[in-house]
Amino acid sequence: MLQLLGKCSGADRVYIFDKKEKNRKEYFCLQYEWKNEDDILEKEQLFSEITVEDIPHWTDELKKGLTIQVTDCEELSPMEQEYNLMKKHHTYSRVLAPIFSRDHLSGFIGMDHFYKGISELFIHQLAFVGAHLNTARENLRMFTLLGKNLESMEKERQILNVLCEDCTSVYKVNLLDDTAEVVKLEQGANAPKIPKSREKIILCYSKELKYYYDHFVIKESAPDFLETFDCQNLIGELKTRDKISRRYQSRENANRHQYFEIRATRLPSSTDFPVLIAFRHVDEIIKEERNHQRELEDSLAEVKMNNEIISAISKIYYMIYRIDLQDFYYEEITGGSENHRFTGMKGTAAAHITSDSSEKVASKYRAMVKQFYDLSTLKKRLEKEESIAVDYLATDNNWHLARFIVQSRAEDGTARQVLLVIRVISEEKRREKYLIDAVEEANRANEAKSEFLSRMSHDIRTPMNAIMGFTRVARNHLHEPDKILDCLDKINLSGSNLQQLINDVLDISRIESGEFRIDSEPVKLSELCKLYEQNIRGTAEDKNQKFICNRHDIIYDTVLSDRLRIGQIYMNLLSNAVKYTPEGGMVELEVYEEPFPDKDKIRLVSIVRDNGIGMSEKFMKEMYSQFSRAIDTRVNKVQGSGLGLAIVKKIVDQMNGTIEATSRLHEGTTFRVTLDVPFIREQEVSETTAEIPFFKLRPSRIIKTLLIAEDNDLNYEILEEQLEMYGIHCGRAVNGKECVQLFEIDPSGTYDAILMDMQMPVMNGLDATRAIRRLPSPESKQIPIIALTANAYLEDVQKCKEAGMNDHMSKPVQIEQIIRTVERWMK
């Protein structure tokens, strides 16, 4: 028809464009075209797609049902979109007529380069042609759809015929009203009744089903027959499934059939719930299956072995290719699933593998993997190897291992067929990295420990050398009191340094072994700050340093926390500040409280700052390590274990606090510790703190005589001499058994308390305590027994309490602490 229009009008081209929509944007798309091959120029190519924005004026006219005629494109305004379009395609004349579908513009029919003598009537008749075209195309669509429906119905009829041909009986059942219509029923079939006419027969489905089951079905072969094909069960099952079937054994029918299959298939319907119930004999199928059973059993062993091999491989490799190196052809054996099989994927190996390596391999490893996958060099690389492998990082951030394995070789020994297997090795890589990191960390730790032990050896030998040296000096100047006093002061100072070293090591050991704990007791912040202010001020003044203690904004002076651990934090930070601040410098302790969201807690902020030598950025990264100490010629003479900051950090962490540090070389260091602790209101303070007096140094007024169980003569002599200074008399037992005997035979009230060593000959301190507590006298249950021992671990403290001791003190211990502890338990 387009050709006829072209011949009649003399046009070079006649065409039809349909209106489309894409991404909510309207456009016209070329559907049909006729061209006058004799006259049209090669360069005049018709556009195949044009948007509404390209022809806005024409689109408006076409929507109104008007025909557009342009006899000369120069008649259009150069500013119009349509003019530009015609000039672009070298078109000087054009006619467009609308095509409507249901009152909507659906496209247009057009002609280009028609001769000028064409009549106006002909041009206007194009609109009728467009309407005719649309009607014809709609009719064609309907006829096509009708043909498809008829074809579909014919196929369904043929399927039903085939189904019925294979069945002894078929029923169409409406599950909603429990009715059944006979579709087919053979004369030889087992059935409750045989219809005698071809009239439509409607039966009660459930009644007929039960009759059939009771009279014909072998019950053992299908015990759930009635339940499975009950109306309600079928409705529920067929909502999600297309069909349900069961095989069973029946009484032999007239055709000598005894094995059957019943199948319920749902039919499409929008009003009721129809299904097709079909019965077919499967004797031949059963017979064939039994014949094949023997063959299957014979091959079962081989299949099982193959499956075990495949299963083993599938646990390792997720992808397997078989590659022929003669024609470089590959077959994919597995597609990444659990079941390894031939997936049907095959083709040119080089292209496929190269594509995989470029798409799935991380960019850093692509060059290496590409070289590994180079099949042109694979034979050479496998001359003396049965397999080669490479591991790489994939784009999914998993590590993969690819391996070529020789499957067969040619007569000359070169590889002919290979397997390419790929598996994920991320877990192995992580373990490998973990082991490497662990070895490196262990090496670093060993180096640090070696350096630490070397330093500790030096730091321990230094005060020991001083103690022994000044002891010899004192012996040589027995008649010079001032010289002896100077030696004793230096011995005492060296002993304190040695004790601090040992305490630091013990604290770290307790923390690392999990024997370190945080106790909660009432702590008065004012007294605590005053105590450590007094302790540190003298040391600072010895170095001509200015020490400032600034307490402010203390709303609740009494808090529940661990007095000892807070003291360790203050002492370690303040002693470090004094150590690493030159003479004439400044050290400050600032303590204040901040509000906390929890209404029963306050945030205790403690700041220690100095203007000392400061720390380098490198050292600050490892300053909390238990084996770190800055290597600095400015502090080489400073004694210490280097464990102070490690202890502080671990204490703060266990108290759920935070510690922050800022430092600059030559300018000083600031530590900020925050602890969130419960507080005690003022009216509660007297009740909770009445039994915790702050100790003042003084001779004891209530302790008269102590029984000391100590097997070491020197230790006893030192302890006895110091207690005598406070007017306290001592009785001695050289082992636990003697301690029990002295307490038992001496009159009641002889001893105010017992100081018990843990490790002694004959009977240790724990057994001695248990023996004393078991004595019949009332005093044996009440007398304070306090462990005074070198066993300083938490488990030792627990053992002492379990044995019946009141308290535990670890050596070395200050005599004032012993007196204060005994007085507290006596009260």
Side-chain angles (χ1 to χ4, degrees), residues 409-427:
R409 293 183 181 272
E411 293 181 0
D412 60 358
T414 59
R416 181 174 59 190
Q417 283 189 337
V418 297
L419 293 179
L420 171 59
V421 294
I422 306 173
R423 68 185 180 100
V424 178
I425 58 168
S426 297
E427 188 61 33

Side-chain angles (χ1 to χ4, degrees), residues 1-6 9 11 13-19 28-34 46-47 55 58 62 66-69 94-100 105-112 114 122-134 137:
M1 194 208 68
L2 295 181
Q3 179 183 14
L4 181 61
L5 288 175
S9 64
R13 181 184 289 112
V14 186
Y15 44 83
I16 294 176
F17 274 77
D18 281 348
K19 188 178 178 184
F28 295 97
C29 180
L30 178 64
Q31 293 295 319
Y32 303 99
E33 178 187 13
W34 172 85
L46 182 64
F47 46 89
I55 54 172
W58 288 354
L62 291 171
L66 301 177
T67 301
I68 297 166
Q69 178 180 357
R94 175 167 291 165
V95 173
L96 301 179
I99 299 175
F100 280 87
L105 181 68
S106 63
F108 58 81
I109 181 171
M111 298 188 300
D112 287 354
F114 56 87
F122 179 85
I123 292 174
H124 289 298
Q125 290 301 316
L126 284 177
F128 294 100
V129 174
H132 167 73
L133 284 174
N134 190 65
R137 293 169 67 188

Side-chain angles (χ1 to χ4, degrees), residues 574-782:
L574 287 171
S575 61
N576 275 354
V578 172
K579 285 180 185 178
Y580 300 118
T581 299
E583 291 191 7
M586 182 274 295
V587 175
E588 179 183 1
L589 170 64
E590 181 183 6
V591 180
Y592 60 91
E593 294 176 4
E594 288 182 348
F596 190 70
D598 189 335
K599 63 180 181 179
D600 295 324
K601 289 184 178 181
I602 54 97
R603 176 160 287 172
L604 179 63
V605 182
S606 306
I607 300 176
V608 175
R609 60 173 64 91
D610 63 67
N611 60 354
I613 63 176
M615 296 182 289
S616 66
E617 291 184 8
K618 179 181 179 181
F619 177 70
M620 288 184 71
K621 294 178 181 179
E622 57 184 32
M623 62 182 175
Y624 296 124
S625 170
Q626 56 191 8
F627 301 117
S628 67
R629 183 175 176 186
I631 300 175
D632 195 326
T633 56
R634 298 170 295 172
V635 298
N636 282 348
K637 295 181 179 180
V638 175
Q639 295 187 1
S641 63
L643 295 172
L645 288 181
I647 293 172
V648 169
K649 181 68 167 67
K650 293 181 182 295
I651 292 174
V652 171
D653 288 345
Q654 290 212 10
M655 296 179 75
N656 296 319
T658 62
I659 181 170
E660 301 169 340
T662 57
S663 183
R664 297 188 67 177
L665 288 174
H666 313 297
E667 295 184 12
T669 301
T670 298
F671 283 94
R672 185 178 191 272
V673 178
T674 60
L675 301 173
D676 300 330
V677 294
F679 61 84
I680 302 176
R681 292 178 174 82
E682 189 172 348
Q683 60 269 25
E684 303 170 356
V685 171
S686 59
E687 302 174 9
T688 58
T689 61
E691 299 302 322
I692 308 176
F694 192 76
F695 182 75
K696 297 180 180 178
L697 297 178
R698 55 176 173 75
S700 177
R701 296 179 181 178
I702 63 174
I703 307 175
K704 303 303 180 184
T705 306
L706 296 177
L707 176 57
I708 301 174
E710 173 62 69
D711 63 312
N712 186 282
D713 294 338
L714 186 58
N715 284 347
Y716 175 76
E717 182 181 350
I718 293 171
L719 188 59
E720 181 188 32
E721 287 285 344
Q722 293 183 84
L723 289 172
E724 290 287 350
M725 294 167 54
Y726 288 87
I728 300 173
H729 299 289
C730 300
R732 182 190 180 190
V734 296
N735 57 59
K737 183 177 181 181
E738 185 178 341
C739 179
V740 177
Q741 292 172 345
L742 288 175
F743 178 82
E744 188 175 13
I745 64 176
D746 286 342
S748 176
T750 301
Y751 304 110
D752 297 311
I754 300 175
L755 300 181
M756 184 78 72
D757 191 13
M758 286 184 66
Q759 295 185 359
M760 293 182 293
V762 184
M763 180 184 286
N764 62 46
L766 299 175
D767 292 337
T769 301
R770 294 188 187 98
I772 291 173
R773 295 303 189 201
R774 288 195 296 266
L775 293 174
S777 66
E779 187 182 7
S780 67
K781 310 295 189 295
Q782 299 173 358

Side-chain angles (χ1 to χ4, degrees), residues 153-168:
M153 291 175 63
E154 177 61 22
K155 287 182 178 179
E156 290 180 1
R157 188 186 65 80
Q158 292 175 359
I159 292 173
L160 184 59
N161 289 338
V162 171
L163 176 63
C164 292
E165 183 180 359
D166 192 37
C167 297
T168 59

